[in-house]
Amino acid sequence: MNLTRRQFIKRIAAGAAGVVGMGAFGYSYAWYVEPRLLSRQAYVIEHPKVPRAFHNFKILQFSDTHLGFHYDLDQLEKLVQTINEEEPDMLLFTGDLVDEPQTYPFPPRLVEVLKKLQAPQGKYWIYGNHDHGGYGTEKIQQVMESSGFQLLQNEHRSIKNGDTSFILAGLDDVMLGKPDIARALYGADEERFTLLMVHEPDVADRFADRAVDLQLSGHSHGGQVQLPLIGHLITPPYADKYVEGHYAITEDFDLYVSRGIGTTRLPYRFLCRPEYSVFQLKHQDT
């Protein structure tokens, strides 16, 4: 289900009311404590199409930093240190670097911090809706390229190890970009393991008949505020059906949705800690 602007605003109001209803302790915890309790999600992707040469290959995904909205460069630098300690083979950023590009000052330190991220098999990124918002498209691209990230905008790369490889594809943002899955996968070998980055998770249903094995998304923030017996209170458009964690879209196609790092619109997290995700590829004998 795609929410209208009015429905989304109503959900934001409901979320704010829910936080206020927690009382003084819950309010302080949701604002000052939980948004800083970074968690690590670990997944094993065992698949017969993963080449033997990529057995134990380590992919780290992070998403939705929303710099400028209750998330600053000091926090980003700590995140970079944590990510580098994981020693990933490949690093993927699934969109929304800055909350409001039209007002963010883009200090030179931002590039310096992002440059510190290390991954021998490359650093890749896709646009989120906030990256295109406020005429930030070109500025965000400049920052990410200067930081050593490669943009995948309706295109793919062949990730090689010796004579074997897998496909890494990226889609332009669904809400404010011009997504084109046919273009993104054009010329890709359908027999090879294919990982697709898409900022908005709910469009996974559209790709069930495509030669995609794994989709990584963000955008949802996991709802930011979750209540017992009720679940998440707020999700943006295109993140209403698939909100967090793993979903088996078909027998051959899996979706993983990150709760992301930062917050947006409301500076709260409750029972919905920020996270980064580590995926370990495993070759599966048939």
Side-chain angles (χ1 to χ4, degrees), residues 7-8 12 15 29 33 52 81 90-91 93 107 110-111 117 134 150 159 162 180 184 188 193 196 209 227 231 253 281:
Q7 288 171 325
F8 189 45
I12 289 176
Y29 172 82
V33 179
R52 292 183 184 275
Q81 293 171 357
M90 177 181 288
L91 190 58
F93 178 69
L110 173 57
V111 172
L117 287 166
Q150 299 179 57
I159 309 301
D180 189 335
F193 182 78
L196 176 67
D209 61 344
L227 297 179
F253 177 34
L281 301 187

Side-chain angles (χ1 to χ4, degrees), residues 56-126:
N56 289 327
F57 189 83
K58 192 175 186 180
I59 298 171
L60 190 146
Q61 175 204 12
F62 70 112
S63 193
D64 297 273
T65 47
H66 286 269
L67 282 161
F69 185 81
H70 299 271
Y71 195 81
D72 59 29
L73 288 180
D74 289 339
Q75 291 170 289
L76 181 64
E77 184 137 36
K78 291 180 181 179
L79 174 66
V80 167
Q81 293 171 357
T82 298
I83 289 174
N84 283 339
E85 288 171 1
E86 291 279 356
E87 298 183 344
D89 294 299
M90 177 181 288
L91 190 58
L92 306 179
F93 178 69
T94 45
D96 281 1
L97 177 70
V98 171
D99 195 65
E100 294 184 348
Q102 71 272 24
T103 62
Y104 190 72
F106 290 98
R109 185 186 168 201
L110 173 57
V111 172
E112 296 172 4
V113 172
L114 290 173
K115 269 186 175 181
K116 295 177 183 179
L117 287 166
Q118 301 295 318
Q121 285 283 359
K123 305 187 297 187
Y124 296 89
W125 74 287
I126 57 171

Side-chain angles (χ1 to χ4, degrees), residues 176-217:
L176 297 179
K178 297 180 179 179
D180 189 335
I181 187 64
R183 181 181 172 188
L185 298 176
Y186 181 77
D189 184 351
E190 295 186 1
E191 298 301 316
R192 286 191 283 175
F193 182 78
T194 299
L195 189 162
L196 176 67
M197 293 191 292
V198 186
H199 184 64
E200 290 89 349
D202 284 1
V203 295
D205 289 333
R206 303 179 188 177
F207 309 143
D209 61 344
R210 297 283 182 172
V212 175
D213 302 292
L214 182 67
Q215 177 180 319
L216 301 187
S217 296

Side-chain angles (χ1 to χ4, degrees), residues 62 90-97 122-128 131-132 136-155 168-172 197-198:
F62 70 112
M90 177 181 288
L91 190 58
L92 306 179
F93 178 69
T94 45
D96 281 1
L97 177 70
K123 305 187 297 187
Y124 296 89
W125 74 287
I126 57 171
Y127 281 110
D131 300 318
H132 278 314
T137 303
E138 291 78 15
K139 185 60 181 179
I140 298 292
Q141 183 176 7
Q142 178 186 357
V143 166
M144 295 301 281
E145 287 184 353
S146 298
S147 305
F149 279 81
Q150 299 179 57
L151 173 64
L152 293 178
Q153 188 178 16
N154 298 326
E155 56 192 314
L168 175 66
L171 204 64
D172 197 4
M197 293 191 292
V198 186

Side-chain angles (χ1 to χ4, degrees), residues 47-55 164-166 193 281-283:
H47 199 285
K49 289 170 67 176
V50 172
R52 292 183 184 275
F54 287 94
H55 189 71
T164 59
S165 62
F166 71 88
F193 182 78
L281 301 187
K282 297 278 189 180
H283 173 76

